[in-house]
Amino acid sequence: MKLLKLVPDDTNIKFLKWRVPFFAISILLIAASWALVLTKGLNYGVDFAGGLEVRATFTQSTEAPIAELRSEVEALGYGSPVVQRFGEDNQVSIRVRLPDEVSADKEAAQEAANTIVSTLQAEYDDFRLDGNDNVSGKVSGEFREKAVLALLAAMGAIALYIWIRFEWQFGVGALFALFHDVSLTLGMFALFQLEFSLQIIAAILAIIGYSLNDTIVIYDRIRENLKKFRKMELPALLDLSVNETLARTVMTSLTLLVALLPLLLFGPASLLGMVAAITLGLFVGTYSSVYSAAPILVWLGVTSDSFVPTETVADQQEKKARGLV
């Protein structure tokens, strides 16, 4: 019985033939993404925009009715709330975004909290309020700052690691690919005004990890082939390396996509933004590894000489003794 092969062993797709137009498309997409972020802005969630958090326990239930709570709080006109289990299964945290003028006014924020609590107490006899907090704009601003620093630190550390493991040109290529992936993800959130919360930061970090893994697999094969085919032209060698890793790339992407599609189509609304971000990252991460990270090596002048070990004096003496020089 023959195994099904999604990618034949002898693939010879000329990826680098189209490197210039595809790289130009990447630059345009990055520019468009940042234009959307700067003009339309991101739809910050409670974590980044400030708001109200209510913590409660359902004393006579073993599990809190998450979906029902989300619908009832949303019906009060506070937008899309974030309702999550908090500690035990019957404990919940309800977070809603408040207008800036309400969030800045303690009395108005407390009135909003009282409205939510009284509504839920009227609906559920075992609803017990454990506490409520107003997330100020200053705190949410600190969250935004730390999130940006986390993303920059991750990208910088990754570029440094690849620089040390390969060569500086590889570090530049990987950093550009990661910047491309993060930019397009932010552009999607600005375009569709999906809620941007700490969950999305986690999704972006996952995208960075996936894209990096794909890029390193290709870069490792490029390094091996640079040692093996020293006289081959670099574009042809890059095509060979991408084709040799294509089966692994396709299988990894499809496996992840099979897990993501049910969540994207049938998952709860609270996970939509995170799943949409990772799904987009799956495609743009694979694309950038082939059409951003690889072509940059051509333009930065990578050669096979970078990966040839330097001969020591002992090596030269041994060659001379054997009459090889």
Side-chain angles (χ1 to χ4, degrees), residues 119-146:
T119 300
L120 296 179
Q121 284 178 336
E123 186 70 26
Y124 302 97
D125 295 333
D126 60 340
F127 182 92
R128 186 190 72 199
L129 176 65
D130 294 334
N132 62 270
D133 296 306
N134 181 27
V135 182
S136 66
K138 181 179 179 180
V139 174
S140 58
E142 292 176 356
F143 283 161
R144 287 198 299 268
E145 182 181 343
K146 289 181 179 179

Side-chain angles (χ1 to χ4, degrees), residues 227-261:
K227 297 176 181 178
K228 191 185 303 182
F229 307 106
R230 294 177 49 76
K231 295 185 178 180
M232 183 181 291
E233 293 185 359
L234 189 57
L237 187 142
L238 296 180
D239 276 334
L240 173 65
S241 302
V242 173
N243 278 286
E244 286 178 345
T245 57
L246 190 60
R248 176 259 169 210
T249 300
V250 171
M251 287 302 300
T252 303
S253 301
L254 285 179
T255 302
L256 185 55
L257 188 61
V258 167
L260 288 172
L261 278 179

Side-chain angles (χ1 to χ4, degrees), residues 8 51-52 77-78 96 103 114 126 128 130 140 144-145 169 191 209 236 260 280 289 297 303 309 318:
L52 179 69
Y78 292 111
V96 296
S103 184
N114 293 339
D126 60 340
R128 186 190 72 199
D130 294 334
S140 58
R144 287 198 299 268
E145 182 181 343
Q169 297 97 325
L191 177 63
L260 288 172
L280 176 69
S289 296
L297 301 182
T303 63
E318 184 178 353

Side-chain angles (χ1 to χ4, degrees), residues 183-245:
S183 298
L184 266 60
T185 304
L186 294 177
M188 180 190 74
F189 276 85
L191 177 63
F192 296 108
Q193 287 297 290
L194 297 172
E195 185 178 276
F196 194 85
S197 63
L198 286 175
Q199 276 188 336
I200 310 307
I201 297 299
I204 292 176
L205 290 173
I207 292 170
I208 289 175
Y210 173 81
S211 178
L212 171 69
N213 181 60
D214 207 26
T215 301
I216 284 183
V217 168
I218 294 176
Y219 274 179
D220 206 45
R221 186 57 59 91
I222 291 171
R223 180 174 61 176
E224 291 177 7
N225 287 336
L226 280 170
K227 297 176 181 178
K228 191 185 303 182
F229 307 106
R230 294 177 49 76
K231 295 185 178 180
M232 183 181 291
E233 293 185 359
L234 189 57
L237 187 142
L238 296 180
D239 276 334
L240 173 65
S241 302
V242 173
N243 278 286
E244 286 178 345
T245 57

Side-chain angles (χ1 to χ4, degrees), residues 267-323:
S270 58
L271 293 179
L272 176 62
M274 184 175 70
V275 177
I278 297 176
T279 304
L280 176 69
L282 171 65
F283 291 100
V284 299
T286 303
Y287 167 85
S288 65
S289 296
V290 175
Y291 282 112
S292 294
I296 283 179
L297 301 182
V298 177
W299 298 319
L300 293 181
V302 170
T303 63
S304 58
D305 295 336
S306 304
F307 298 97
V308 178
T310 304
E311 284 189 334
T312 63
V313 175
D315 293 332
Q316 293 174 356
Q317 289 178 345
E318 184 178 353
K319 280 187 176 183
K320 193 172 183 179
R322 293 182 179 182

